[in-house]
Amino acid sequence: MKIKNFKFFEGLIDEAREQYFAPGVVVNLISNGEVAYSKSFGYAEMDNVDKPITAETIFPIMSITKSFTATAIMQLVQEGLLALDDPISLHLPYFHTHDDAVTEQITIKQLLSHTAGFPGDFWIASLQDRNLLSLIKQAPEYELIVQQFPEETLNKIKNREDVTRYFSNANLLFEPGQGWSYCTDTYVIAADILEKITSQSWEEYIQENIFKRLDLKKTFTDPNRMNNESDVTHYYMKHISSVMELATPINQICAPAGFIYSNVNDVSKYFIAHMKSDQSPLLHTDSLATMQAMIADREENLSYGLGWKIRKVNDSKVIEHAGGYPGMASYASLNPSEGFGIVIFANSDQFPVQKLSESVIDYIVKE
């Protein structure tokens, strides 16, 4: 599909920047297997004209990371090292839930599709980012979460296996496979499975089997590398009449759920690989189809696959995911049947990346 109306898209971005606080926004549009349009708006550092935001500017991509972890698991499935319907406990005998009677029912597929039954506010791994913990302590709506995970409990978590073991404290919201609840920390369990099967760290595995295969030179998991990169965004949160600049999101234990660092150019390469069903360097055609299947029973025309949110627009399947955190927002939408996609990053958590992405995708699909 050829993109016909760039002005339509630029108008949407300009209107949103006027309405919502966003020092910098950068976007790529993908068409027919390549980046057909790339545009940057504003600055990587607020009011610093010497630091424009670019398509090479590095961001944490947050929960878009989940599709990388799910892709890695699907590669292990292709190799016959595990099956999606395997119980988690088959590979991690120390995995338990609060209700031990259902522990052996929970499968890897349910883990990746958020249909295992775990509550969305089970943040034992997420709160290993102490900057995030400090922020939510100031927000009354998070009081119960702070009480559930006091610092003495968080300090006991030293690695991903500790996270898996701590899920023995989780009360399920529903029987496995009988509902949908987005629990970000479950992807740490998925990484624990990968690490036990491959005898590699999650970081080593995705560097070798995803980043290198796609030649993603500016995509990495080590937060220390940020100090050596010159084109890196800053992060901003607007509170009433003031603006806070926030620290770089860092959470190495929870990295498989949300802490890959990249830019829109590299992420575009990655998404193109998920659209090339017959020649992807990452996965076979049937594996891509499995990841993009509507597995979770959410609502009409809206589901979740393996690391992807899935929705239908005019009978056309759109795969997408958000990546949000205090101080930044990212979103990616792909329409493989039309060969079209959009990747958009902003260095403000208030910028409506999802609304813009969905508007553009819907415009293209319905055109």
Side-chain angles (χ1 to χ4, degrees):
M1 168 175 284
K2 291 185 178 180
I3 304 167
K4 302 176 182 178
N5 194 345
F6 292 125
K7 291 298 181 184
F8 156 78
F9 177 71
E10 290 178 7
L12 290 177
I13 295 286
D14 288 335
E15 288 176 13
R17 288 192 73 218
E18 287 183 12
Q19 184 175 357
Y20 300 94
F21 170 73
V25 178
V26 58
V27 61
N28 278 359
L29 299 183
I30 299 165
S31 180
N32 298 324
E34 62 183 21
V35 175
Y37 170 89
S38 184
K39 181 82 172 181
S40 303
F41 305 76
Y43 308 102
E45 295 181 22
M46 190 172 65
D47 299 328
N48 186 350
V49 295
D50 294 325
K51 288 288 186 179
I53 203 163
T54 75
E56 291 291 313
T57 301
I58 295 170
F59 284 74
I61 68 172
M62 307 318 300
S63 284
I64 293 175
T65 299
K66 289 182 173 65
S67 69
F68 284 76
T69 300
T71 296
I73 292 293
M74 284 305 303
Q75 289 175 342
L76 300 186
V77 171
Q78 285 185 174
E79 294 174 31
L81 297 176
L82 56 76
L84 288 176
D85 290 329
D86 286 349
I88 296 168
S89 57
L90 176 65
H91 301 283
L92 305 178
Y94 48 82
F95 168 75
H96 297 277
T97 68
H98 191 67
D99 181 1
D100 222 18
V102 299
T103 293
E104 293 188 3
Q105 298 178 30
I106 300 176
T107 67
I108 296 171
K109 183 178 182 179
Q110 291 166 349
L111 194 74
L112 296 176
S113 60
H114 300 291
T115 58
F118 295 115
D121 59 357
F122 199 82
W123 286 7
I124 187 62
S126 296
L127 293 181
Q128 297 302 315
D129 179 350
R130 294 305 199 268
N131 290 322
L132 175 63
L133 178 62
S134 178
L135 275 176
I136 71 169
K137 280 183 175 180
Q138 303 172 44
E141 61 267 32
Y142 292 105
E143 182 178 357
L144 291 178
I145 293 179
V146 173
Q147 291 176 359
Q148 184 181 0
F149 302 104
E151 290 205 46
E152 56 267 30
T153 296
L154 295 173
N155 289 339
K156 295 177 182 178
I157 303 299
K158 305 298 182 184
N159 52 48
R160 290 167 189 148
E161 182 175 317
D162 288 344
V163 172
T164 298
R165 291 180 182 277
Y166 194 82
F167 265 79
S168 63
N169 297 283
N171 290 304
L172 299 185
L173 299 178
F174 48 80
E175 289 290 313
Q178 300 303 308
W180 186 83
S181 174
Y182 187 86
C183 179
T184 197
D185 286 12
T186 59
Y187 269 68
V188 179
I189 301 176
D192 190 16
I193 294 171
L194 181 147
E195 291 175 341
K196 295 302 188 296
I197 288 176
T198 65
S199 298
Q200 288 181 287
S201 70
W202 170 84
E203 288 85 352
E204 292 168 336
Y205 183 90
I206 64 167
Q207 173 66 35
E208 179 180 336
N209 294 283
I210 299 180
F211 301 168
K212 282 188 177 180
R213 286 192 196 182
L214 299 179
D215 195 28
L216 306 183
K217 290 187 169 68
K218 291 293 186 178
T219 301
F220 51 91
T221 59
D222 181 2
N224 294 316
R225 180 172 161 179
M226 299 285 274
N227 299 324
N228 300 319
E229 296 288 342
S230 58
D231 195 355
V232 176
T233 192
H234 290 214
Y235 316 90
Y236 301 97
M237 173 186 287
K238 191 171 184 181
H239 180 65
I240 308 175
S241 60
S242 63
V243 175
M244 297 170 55
E245 181 172 345
L246 303 176
T248 299
I250 296 174
N251 188 338
Q252 290 179 274
I253 288 177
C254 200
F259 292 84
I260 286 175
Y261 305 90
S262 189
N263 57 40
V264 296
N265 280 344
D266 271 10
V267 170
S268 296
K269 288 183 185 179
Y270 169 74
F271 287 130
I272 289 168
H274 274 270
M275 298 170 76
K276 293 182 176 180
S277 62
D278 59 341
Q279 51 183 328
S280 172
L282 295 179
L283 292 169
H284 301 160
T285 300
D286 56 348
S287 296
L288 290 173
T290 297
M291 287 190 68
Q292 298 169 16
M294 300 183 78
I295 296 170
D297 185 14
R298 295 180 64 182
E299 57 188 72
E300 187 177 5
N301 294 324
L302 179 63
S303 185
Y304 199 94
L306 305 180
W308 295 113
K309 183 176 82 172
I310 315 292
R311 65 188 179 99
K312 280 194 173 181
V313 180
N314 284 10
D315 293 324
S316 184
K317 187 181 289 185
V318 177
I319 62 173
E320 51 196 3
H321 215 290
Y325 217 64
M328 63 80 58
S330 60
Y331 207 84
S333 295
L334 309 175
N335 182 212
S337 65
E338 297 287 348
F340 176 80
I342 175 173
V343 182
I344 182 168
F345 291 174
N347 56 10
S348 164
D349 51 24
Q350 294 187 337
F351 195 73
V353 289
Q354 177 174 344
K355 181 179 178 181
L356 281 168
S357 296
E358 291 181 347
S359 295
V360 173
I361 285 285
D362 293 356
Y363 174 85
I364 294 294
V365 171
K366 295 175 181 178
E367 189 178 43

